[in-house]
């Protein structure tokens, strides 16, 4: 599919007049993916589009049912168009989605990932005045050292596209991931955390799970957890957020929190001082609720997926031992 779709589309409508910002009222962002992390990673782009075209309403073309939860508090999100996770088992719904896209009329359609076959097809298929296919602008690689990050290069490419259309160059700081928790959600997360730890001491949050070979074994996590206890138990609680699979790589030794509610999980993490975990959707969730995050990387691309919210860091554990992890944590905690 990538081979068939890689040449679809020409992003810049060179012969069109430059539209005034207030004329861009309806935007479609295409990211047909159902993973928690990948959907959180488009929150900066949604913020960028909103800041660029303040009067616009944004539709999202995604997969699965997480997007309405993630973007619940984004006022400018108009419609979430969801592809079924298993299209061949839901063919009628699958084709209904494509008809929905075709029946809408957009001023601008944005494909987030140029390598996404469904993304390129939907960008071509949608009725729009301007279609941006997410094509890479080569000069971004030279000018922006952080271009490789999966949440950042869509924004750099989008800015480059707008500059080619004639808009002024935008060099403002890139937005961070943002779940946009309400104060009431954060307060409820604080209550849940207090019920777990039974005190007012600050809390360190760990997440010991990840999918596939990104998941560190018990033989790594248990000694690391012992180091965490030795280093921090006098001044901090340590809790473990459990995955939906309800498993623990430290054998449930720490107090635990389990929930299937993404916003509730985020609210609990938002009340902790630091989050430590391998590259995963929950790691990006920690970034999206603005908790300083230590991302542990052994197989996935650190430059592409590292947490980049303030006071966060990523550690390549192939070249750093657990003592280096402790040093990074101390730096964040100001120890």
């Amino acid at each position: 599919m990538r081979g068939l779709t890689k040449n679809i589309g020409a992003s810049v409508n060179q012969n069109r007049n430059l539209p005034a910002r207030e004329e861009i009222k309806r935007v479609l962002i295409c990211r047909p993916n159902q993973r928690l992390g990948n959907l959180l990673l488009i929150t900066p782009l949604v913020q960028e589009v909103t800041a660029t075209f303040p009067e616009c309403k944004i539709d999202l073309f995604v997969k699965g049912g997480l997007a309405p939860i993630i973007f619940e508090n984004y006022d400018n999100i108009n419609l979430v168009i969801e592809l079924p996770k298993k299209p061949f088992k839901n063919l009628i719904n699958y084709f209904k989605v494509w008809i929905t896209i075709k029946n809408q009329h957009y001023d601008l359609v944005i494909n987030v990932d140029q390598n996404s076959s469904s993304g390129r097809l939907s960008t071509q298929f949608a009725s729009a005045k301007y279609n941006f296919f997410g094509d890479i602008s080569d000069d971004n690689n030279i000018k922006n050292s952080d271009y490789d990050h999966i949440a950042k290069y869509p924004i750099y490419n989008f800015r480059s596209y707008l500059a080619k259309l004639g808009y002024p160059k935008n060099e403002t700081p890139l937005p961070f991931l943002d779940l946009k928790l309400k104060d009431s959600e954060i307060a409820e997360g604080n209550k849940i955390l207090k019920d777990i730890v039974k005190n007012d001491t600050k809390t360190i949050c760990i997440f010991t799970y990840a999918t596939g070979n990104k998941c560190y074994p018990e033989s790594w996590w248990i000694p690391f957890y012992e180091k965490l206890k030795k280093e921090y138990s006098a001044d901090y609680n340590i809790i473990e957020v459990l995955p939906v699979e309800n498993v623990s790589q430290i054998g449930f030794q720490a107090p635990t929190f389990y929930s299937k509610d993404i916003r509730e999980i985020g609210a609990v993490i938002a009340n902790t001082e630091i989050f430590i975990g391998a590259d995963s959707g929950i790691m990006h969730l920690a970034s999206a609720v603005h908790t300083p995050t230590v991302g542990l990387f052994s197989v996935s691309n650190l430059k592409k997926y590292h947490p980049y919210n303030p006071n966060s860091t990523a550690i390549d554990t192939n070249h750093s031992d657990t003592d280096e992890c402790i040093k990074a944590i101390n730096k964040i905690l100001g120890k």
Side-chain angles (χ1 to χ4, degrees):
M1 284 300 295
R2 286 185 181 179
L4 290 171
T5 59
K6 66 180 181 180
N7 293 319
I8 285 180
S11 289
V12 181
N13 306 75
Q14 298 283 12
N15 296 324
R16 292 184 182 272
N17 294 325
L18 175 68
R21 292 182 190 272
E22 60 270 17
E23 291 178 18
I24 304 296
K25 297 184 180 297
R26 295 211 61 197
V27 177
L28 174 66
I29 295 178
C30 301
R31 187 62 167 114
N33 190 287
Q34 75 274 18
R35 290 184 177 274
L36 171 63
N38 285 332
L39 293 173
L40 287 167
L41 286 160
I42 67 171
T43 59
L45 178 62
V46 172
Q47 295 171 70
E48 175 78 10
V49 172
T50 303
T52 306
F53 305 111
E55 303 300 319
C56 79
K57 289 293 183 181
I58 298 173
D59 291 357
L60 298 174
F61 174 50
V62 295
K63 187 181 287 187
L66 278 178
I69 298 168
I70 292 169
F71 292 94
E72 179 178 311
N73 293 331
Y74 279 74
D75 294 335
N76 61 321
I77 296 297
N78 175 56
L79 181 66
V80 178
I81 305 168
E82 302 170 11
L83 272 178
K85 286 185 179 180
K86 298 180 179 180
F88 292 107
K89 290 186 177 181
N90 300 276
L91 281 175
I92 293 175
N93 289 336
Y94 180 79
F95 287 114
K96 280 183 178 178
V97 167
W98 289 95
I99 292 170
T100 299
I101 291 175
K102 193 63 178 176
N103 287 341
Q104 305 298 316
H105 297 281
Y106 296 102
D107 299 302
L108 174 65
V109 178
I110 303 167
N111 177 38
V112 175
D113 184 357
Q114 68 152 356
N115 293 315
S116 168
S117 304
S118 297
R120 294 190 77 87
L121 283 170
S122 56
T123 303
Q124 177 74 21
F125 192 66
S127 301
K129 297 175 182 176
Y130 295 86
N131 307 73
F132 173 53
F133 290 86
D135 302 312
I136 292 173
S137 178
D138 292 335
D139 61 348
N140 282 323
N141 285 309
I142 300 170
K143 295 179 181 178
N144 303 295
S145 59
D146 58 351
Y147 175 83
D148 289 339
H149 198 282
I150 192 170
K152 296 183 178 184
Y153 66 70
I155 297 175
Y156 284 129
N157 291 338
F158 177 61
R159 289 181 176 185
S160 178
Y161 167 69
L162 292 180
K164 289 177 181 177
L165 280 178
Y167 283 96
K169 199 173 195 181
N170 185 354
E171 294 184 347
T172 59
L174 272 61
F176 296 109
L177 277 66
D178 198 349
L179 188 64
K180 289 189 179 291
L181 289 173
K182 294 179 180 177
D183 290 343
S184 58
E185 291 178 297
I186 295 173
E188 182 61 27
N190 184 54
K191 181 181 176 183
I192 293 170
L193 181 61
K194 291 291 178 64
D195 287 343
I196 295 171
V197 299
K198 311 296 184 186
N199 59 51
D200 293 322
T201 304
K202 294 178 180 179
T203 299
I204 293 170
C205 177
I206 63 174
F207 182 73
T208 66
Y209 189 72
T211 55
N213 57 1
K214 293 188 295 184
C215 186
Y216 287 74
E218 290 185 4
S219 59
W220 190 92
W221 267 110
I222 290 176
F224 182 56
Y225 175 61
E226 292 300 320
K227 281 193 175 184
L228 290 175
K229 287 196 297 181
K230 182 178 179 181
E231 186 76 20
Y232 304 111
S233 59
D235 302 309
Y236 294 89
N237 305 302
I238 302 174
I239 69 162
E240 180 182 9
V241 170
L242 298 173
V244 68
E245 293 82 359
N246 198 22
V247 296
S248 168
Q249 297 300 95
I250 59 170
F252 300 95
Q253 293 182 48
T256 60
F257 169 67
Y258 179 84
S259 175
K260 293 182 179 180
D261 184 332
I262 293 301
R263 300 192 70 85
E264 184 178 64
I265 297 169
V268 169
I269 295 173
N271 283 280
T272 63
E273 299 302 305
I274 190 170
F275 173 93
I276 307 162
D279 174 31
S280 66
I282 300 296
M283 181 197 77
H284 293 301
L285 182 66
S287 290
V289 298
H290 316 305
T291 296
T293 300
V294 177
L296 306 172
F297 287 75
S298 59
V299 293
S300 48
N301 187 325
L302 186 150
K303 282 188 175 183
K304 188 174 184 179
Y305 293 106
H306 68 85
Y308 77 94
N309 56 311
N311 213 16
S312 292
T313 190
I315 297 173
D316 182 350
T317 58
N318 295 310
H319 301 99
S320 302
D321 58 19
T322 52
D323 289 335
E324 292 297 318
C325 297
I326 296 295
K327 288 179 183 178
I329 295 166
N330 284 342
K331 185 177 180 181
I332 292 172
L333 294 176
K335 287 176 66 72

